[in-house]
Amino acid sequence: YDPKGLLYQHILDPALLENLPSHGNFFIKTHVEARPEGVEALRRHNVPTTVLMRDLRDQCVSRFYHVLNSPSHRHHDFYVNGDKAEAFTHCVEICVTEYANWIRGWAKVAREDEQFLLVRYEDMRENIKTQFLRALKRFDIELADDKVEMIIEQVAAKSKSGSNLETRLKQGNSLRSGRVGDWRSHFSPGDVKIFKEKANDTLVSLGYEKDDSW
C-alpha cells in the first residue's frame, strides 16, 4: 500500500506500515532512505529491520555495470555511447554523494537502535551462515543448526542448481558485479581522489579502511 508512490523515490510512507495486515507474517524489501518519518514509523510499529551495505567503491563498479545492462536507466545511453572514463567518473560522483548519504543515514540509525541490524555484503560473502543467524536472532527466530543449513542450501538450489550460496557469492554471481575489491581494476587516480575527498568517512566508519592512505 503506497498511495503516493513514494517507494519509487526511495521514501518510506508511514501509511504503508499502518495498512499492513494485523495478523500473520510479512516481508518488505526496499531501497528507502533513512528519513526520520520512515525510521520513526518502523520503530513505532516495531518492525525489525536489516540493512545491507557494501564497500562503496565496489558498489560503484556494481552500479556502473547495472546501468550498462539496463536500457531503461536514465544514464544508460551516456554510459554505453560516451567516453568510458568520463562515464565511470560520473558513476563515482553519484556514489560519493547519493549512495554515501544513504549509507551514512542507515549506519547512524543502526548504531543508535538495536532494532536495526547492519549487515555488510563482504561479511555475508565470507560466512553466509553467520550473517543469516544474526538476522534470525533479530526476528526472534530459533532454528536447529541443520534447519539453518538446509534453508541456505535450498535458497542456493533455487537460484543455481548444484552450487551452494556461499560459493556463488564468492564467485561474484550477480547481474551486477559482486567481486570484492574489484574497484582497483576500474578506478583512475582521479576517481580515487574524488572518493577520498567526499566519502572516505564512510569507508572508515564501516571498517573498510583505517584512514585515507589506501
Side-chain angles (χ1 to χ4, degrees):
Y1 180 75
D2 186 30
K4 300 178 183 178
L6 295 179
L7 287 177
Y8 290 102
Q9 303 173 47
H10 298 168
I11 299 173
L12 177 61
D13 186 345
L16 185 152
L17 298 178
E18 293 164 1
N19 286 274
L20 289 171
S22 58
H23 300 287
N25 300 315
F26 60 87
F27 174 79
I28 303 172
K29 176 182 179 294
T30 77
H31 292 87
V32 297
E33 301 168 358
R35 298 195 178 199
E37 62 274 17
V39 172
E40 178 54 35
L42 290 169
R43 287 177 174 140
R44 184 168 64 253
H45 293 281
N46 193 31
V47 179
T49 304
T50 300
V51 183
L52 180 62
M53 300 182 182
R54 72 181 300 189
D55 187 323
L56 262 178
R57 296 164 295 188
D58 286 329
Q59 178 65 28
C60 183
V61 176
S62 172
R63 180 188 182 277
F64 184 73
Y65 284 106
H66 171 65
V67 174
L68 287 177
N69 290 286
S70 302
S72 62
H73 196 283
R74 69 188 189 278
H75 296 138
H76 176 75
D77 288 342
F78 172 34
Y79 285 18
V80 170
N81 300 314
D83 179 81
K84 185 175 181 180
E86 290 182 5
F88 190 81
T89 297
H90 174 270
C91 190
V92 168
E93 290 283 2
I94 288 179
C95 287
V96 298
T97 52
E98 296 178 21
Y99 281 43
N101 286 335
W102 191 94
I103 287 182
R104 291 185 189 108
W106 282 115
K108 182 176 184 296
V109 170
R111 284 194 295 267
E112 297 174 349
D113 191 337
E114 63 179 14
Q115 178 179 329
F116 299 86
L117 174 67
L118 180 63
V119 176
R120 300 197 321 172
Y121 173 79
E122 294 78 11
D123 296 333
M124 189 172 67
R125 280 182 42 133
E126 182 67 25
N127 192 320
I128 186 67
K129 183 178 178 181
T130 296
Q131 300 307 314
F132 184 36
L133 288 172
R134 290 181 68 211
L136 290 175
K137 182 178 180 181
R138 183 55 50 91
F139 283 90
D140 294 324
I141 298 175
E142 294 185 9
L143 296 176
D145 193 68
D146 60 341
K147 181 69 172 180
V148 170
E149 294 182 354
M150 182 185 73
I151 291 173
I152 293 174
E153 289 301 319
Q154 286 180 341
V155 171
K158 289 180 180 179
S159 301
K160 185 178 180 181
S161 178
S163 179
N164 66 57
L165 186 57
E166 188 167 336
T167 298
R168 289 195 302 107
L169 284 168
K170 288 183 177 179
Q171 291 174 341
N173 183 28
S174 172
L175 291 176
R176 301 191 181 191
S177 173
R179 297 180 181 85
V180 173
D182 195 33
W183 64 268
R184 293 183 178 85
S185 61
H186 292 79
F187 276 46
S188 69
D191 295 331
V192 171
K193 184 174 185 293
I194 292 172
F195 238 90
K196 288 185 178 182
E197 291 177 347
K198 298 184 177 181
N200 196 67
D201 63 308
T202 64
L203 299 178
V204 173
S205 65
L206 292 174
Y208 291 112
E209 298 292 347
K210 293 182 179 180
D211 48 42
D212 65 353
S213 61
W214 50 276

